[in-house]
């Protein structure tokens, strides 16, 4: 029984095979509350260009596009199984408003300052080199915004980071 759980949860980082397909379904469902909470703190507008790193089963890509209906959404994941699932889930807009590639956060294949928004839900702890990956995120973002707790006001604030 212990090996079954170990095998199942090892699929979080790089889903493969039958267990990987199960994990991707679980991720699409299980990550929804956190994703929706995070996206609720972003001022979306039409025509945005957005990236989801570690796009998994593709549900977050759909959520991004709903918030900027005339926008473009890009997804990247290290797992071929995840890329296939994300493409299948979003096949109606694939190639026109949505683009999904296999790759790693430490070498994003897009030009500097391409994206208005970059998300990475439940994936950062799988990144191979956090410093390099965050440098890549900063490179592809048009501007960097940090969310932080403000104890003096008792609420979340947003500041530009440099």
């Amino acid at each position: 029984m212990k090996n079954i759980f170990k095998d199942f949860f090892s699929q979080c980082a790089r889903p493969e095979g039958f267990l990987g397909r199960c994990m991707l379904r679980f991720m699409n469902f299980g990550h929804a509350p956190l994703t929706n909470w995070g996206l609720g703190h972003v001022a979306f507008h039409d025509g945005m260009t957005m990236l989801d790193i570690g796009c998994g089963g593709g549900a977050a890509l759909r959520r991004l596009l709903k918030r900027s209906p005339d926008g473009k959404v890009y997804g990247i994941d290290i797992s071929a199984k995840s890329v296939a699932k994300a493409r299948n889930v979003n096949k109606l807009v694939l190639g026109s408003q949505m683009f999904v590639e296999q790759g790693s956060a430490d070498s994003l294949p897009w030009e500097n300052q391409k994206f208005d928004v970059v998300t990475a839900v439940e994936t950062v702890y799988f990144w191979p080199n956090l410093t390099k990956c965050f440098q890549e995120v900063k490179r592809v973002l048009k501007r960097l915004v940090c969310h932080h707790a403000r104890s003096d006001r008792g609420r979340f604030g947003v500041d530009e980071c440099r």
Side-chain angles (χ1 to χ4, degrees):
M1 187 66 147
K2 184 178 180 180
N3 285 339
I4 291 172
F5 285 115
K6 182 180 177 185
D7 290 345
F8 183 73
F9 288 108
S10 72
Q11 296 294 320
C12 293
R14 192 177 284 213
E16 296 175 344
F18 173 75
L19 284 178
R21 287 192 303 274
C22 293
M23 180 55 72
L24 288 169
R25 285 187 196 112
F26 174 77
M27 286 177 184
N28 275 349
F29 175 75
H31 293 170
L34 180 61
T35 302
N36 289 332
W37 175 85
L39 296 180
H41 294 286
V42 177
F44 286 94
H45 56 82
D46 282 343
M48 294 179 83
T49 304
M50 302 161 283
L51 169 64
D52 184 35
I53 300 173
C55 64
L61 299 172
R62 275 196 326 254
R63 289 181 181 95
L64 285 166
L65 195 56
K66 281 183 181 180
R67 285 167 169 80
S68 182
D70 294 327
K72 293 195 183 295
V73 179
Y74 295 75
I76 191 166
D77 202 289
I78 201 161
S79 162
K81 183 70 71 182
S82 294
V83 169
K85 174 74 172 174
R87 287 176 176 165
N88 186 51
V89 164
N90 296 292
K91 60 187 166 197
L92 294 178
V93 292
L94 198 63
S96 59
Q97 284 187 280
M98 192 169 300
F99 310 88
V100 183
E101 296 188 30
Q102 186 172 0
S104 177
D106 64 356
S107 182
L108 297 174
W110 296 285
E111 65 270 13
N112 295 350
Q113 299 181 345
K114 179 174 180 73
F115 299 104
D116 299 296
V117 172
V118 175
T119 62
V121 177
E122 298 285 353
T123 187
V124 174
Y125 34 74
F126 298 119
W127 290 1
N129 177 331
L130 282 177
T131 301
K132 174 71 172 132
C133 293
F134 279 115
Q135 286 171 342
E136 281 292 279
V137 170
K138 183 179 178 185
R139 180 184 65 77
V140 300
L141 267 171
K142 291 179 182 174
R143 68 185 184 105
L144 185 60
V145 177
C146 296
H147 286 270
H148 62 88
R150 284 196 175 163
S151 59
D152 62 321
R153 295 188 186 167
R155 62 181 179 87
F156 283 97
V158 178
D159 290 332
E160 254 188 82
C161 299
R162 304 240 185 255

